[in-house]
Amino acid sequence: MSVSSVSRVVDTITECLSLVQSDSIEVQEKALQTLASITKVSPQNRTMLAQTDNAIPTLASLTNSSSPVIQTLSLLTLFNLSLNPDLKQSLADMETIHYLNSLITSTSSLDSSKLASSLICSLAMHDKNKAKFGVAGTVQLLVKAIEGSHDAHHLLSSLAELVHFHGNCTLAVRAGAVPVLLRVAKGTDNEDLAGTSLAVLSLLARFDEGLNGLKRTDEIVKAMLSVMKGRSLLSKEGAADILIRLFDDSEDCAMEALMLSEFSSVLADLCVRGSVRVRDKADFLMKKMAKLSLDSDMEACSLHG
């Protein structure tokens, strides 16, 4: 970019940041449209905007506007900025996070809620930001919002990113994430939504809190069997992942599976007709069950010997 081009962009940014503080919604809207447009594809323009004095706090405060259009455009501009990896940490200050928290539970504008969730997901990709969202209460708000939402995909994506951090996994489980996610997985016809819910449950199961939450769930093995009998490959993979973790941790869960007459046939079918990843997981579960079955047979023989 030439010096004159940089100078023009800087002038445009300065003018727009002045105009967004106007009392006129129309003037604010036009200025934000310009900022959203110049930051859409240019990493350099994003950096220039982010480095302009007071730009990020100004945009963050506008996400709290009474106008849904101003909310959406300011969120869109902040989301564009978050696409630069080196800007993610500076964007995630506590004030901005609190604005985003209020938007994910808002019922006034679905567009703003979805954009706020997308921005949380983008910012949470920076590992140092994950704990900040945990401290700010975002994890509990996401669980609550997922429970009350008919289209929770954007919320689930944000939660999935946040629970990679152990502390956030603990917060999610304590907020009731396990039963909420199981209800979404079992209660929706949307295969993508069900699959994402199971993928988040699988992430929770990597830590003791999540695994214990699943083990405490009535008939969890039966519930995962029901998922594996469904059509969605993403759901089947999530269910198989969860069962592998359950079987590794609890012989009782594996014994419960042995007692279910159709469990082996469903696994055998997946070993043949699943995706490569599902086949591998189903094969692992089959071997695990075969070993357990052999062990219990040998134990029975020794008792009668």
Side-chain angles (χ1 to χ4, degrees):
M1 196 183 276
S2 68
V3 174
S4 60
S5 297
V6 169
S7 178
R8 275 200 304 275
V9 172
V10 169
D11 288 345
T12 300
I13 288 170
T14 304
E15 184 186 2
C16 287
L17 284 172
S18 172
L19 292 172
V20 295
Q21 296 176 71
S22 162
D23 292 333
S24 162
I25 295 288
E26 289 78 11
V27 171
Q28 283 185 317
E29 188 179 331
K30 193 174 178 185
L32 283 168
Q33 279 172 340
T34 301
L35 290 175
S37 175
I38 66 172
T39 54
K40 187 175 181 180
V41 291
S42 167
Q44 194 171 353
N45 286 355
R46 292 172 198 149
T47 300
M48 283 192 279
L49 174 55
Q51 288 176 346
T52 304
D53 273 355
N54 221 32
I56 292 173
T58 300
L59 291 167
S61 67
L62 288 169
T63 64
N64 201 33
S65 168
S66 57
S67 161
V69 176
I70 300 303
Q71 277 183 11
T72 301
L73 286 169
S74 53
L75 283 165
L76 184 58
T77 306
L78 287 168
F79 178 77
N80 289 347
L81 296 184
S82 78
L83 298 175
N84 279 23
D86 60 325
L87 295 179
K88 289 185 192 288
Q89 197 171 356
S90 59
L91 283 164
D93 66 85
M94 277 307 198
E95 191 173 0
T96 303
I97 290 173
H98 286 306
Y99 285 134
L100 296 177
N101 281 354
S102 66
L103 287 167
I104 55 174
T105 53
S106 167
T107 51
S108 59
S109 170
L110 191 58
D111 284 344
S112 293
S113 177
K114 285 185 175 180
L115 262 173
S117 294
S118 299
L119 180 51
I120 288 167
C121 188
S122 176
L123 295 176
M125 287 174 185
H126 191 295
D127 283 343
K128 287 184 177 174
N129 287 342
K130 287 179 169 61
K132 280 188 183 178
F133 283 107
V135 170
T138 308
V139 174
Q140 295 93 321
L141 286 169
L142 284 168
V143 172
K144 187 179 176 185
I146 289 164
E147 189 173 20
S149 174
H150 298 297
D151 178 17
H153 203 278
H154 51 294
L155 300 164
L156 286 166
S157 299
S158 300
L159 186 61
E161 195 57 51
L162 286 170
V163 298
H164 278 95
F165 175 61
H166 189 174
N168 289 342
C169 170
T170 304
L171 292 171
V173 172
R174 286 179 184 166
V178 171
V180 166
L181 292 167
L182 281 169
R183 275 198 295 274
V184 173
K186 291 191 287 184
T188 180
D189 294 329
N190 184 322
E191 291 179 11
D192 199 27
L193 199 60
T196 307
S197 295
L198 287 158
V200 179
L201 276 169
S202 181
L203 287 169
L204 293 178
R206 293 177 313 145
F207 302 113
D208 286 345
E209 296 90 344
L211 198 55
N212 290 334
L214 284 162
K215 283 193 297 186
R216 285 194 298 270
T217 303
D218 284 343
E219 299 190 323
I220 183 65
V221 174
K222 208 171 185 178
M224 292 302 102
L225 171 62
S226 175
V227 170
M228 291 196 298
K229 287 161 63 181
R231 293 177 304 172
S232 165
L233 283 175
L234 182 61
S235 293
K236 289 176 202 273
E237 187 180 342
D241 255 337
I242 288 164
L243 286 168
I244 286 169
R245 294 194 185 277
L246 287 170
F247 286 12
D248 276 344
D249 187 74
S250 165
E251 200 169 282
D252 287 349
C253 287
M255 287 302 293
E256 189 185 329
L258 275 177
M259 301 296 178
L260 296 169
S261 57
E262 56 184 336
F263 202 94
S264 293
S265 60
V266 170
L267 283 182
D269 186 55
L270 290 180
C271 285
V272 177
R273 296 199 301 171
S275 65
V276 174
R277 287 206 301 229
V278 170
R279 286 202 303 269
D280 286 347
K281 292 176 197 299
D283 186 52
F284 181 87
L285 286 167
M286 285 280 278
K287 286 173 180 167
K288 192 100 177 163
M289 286 182 67
K291 182 181 182 305
L292 189 67
S293 180
L294 183 65
D295 288 350
S296 61
D297 287 349
M298 287 172 67
E299 196 176 313
C301 288
S302 68
L303 286 171
H304 292 105

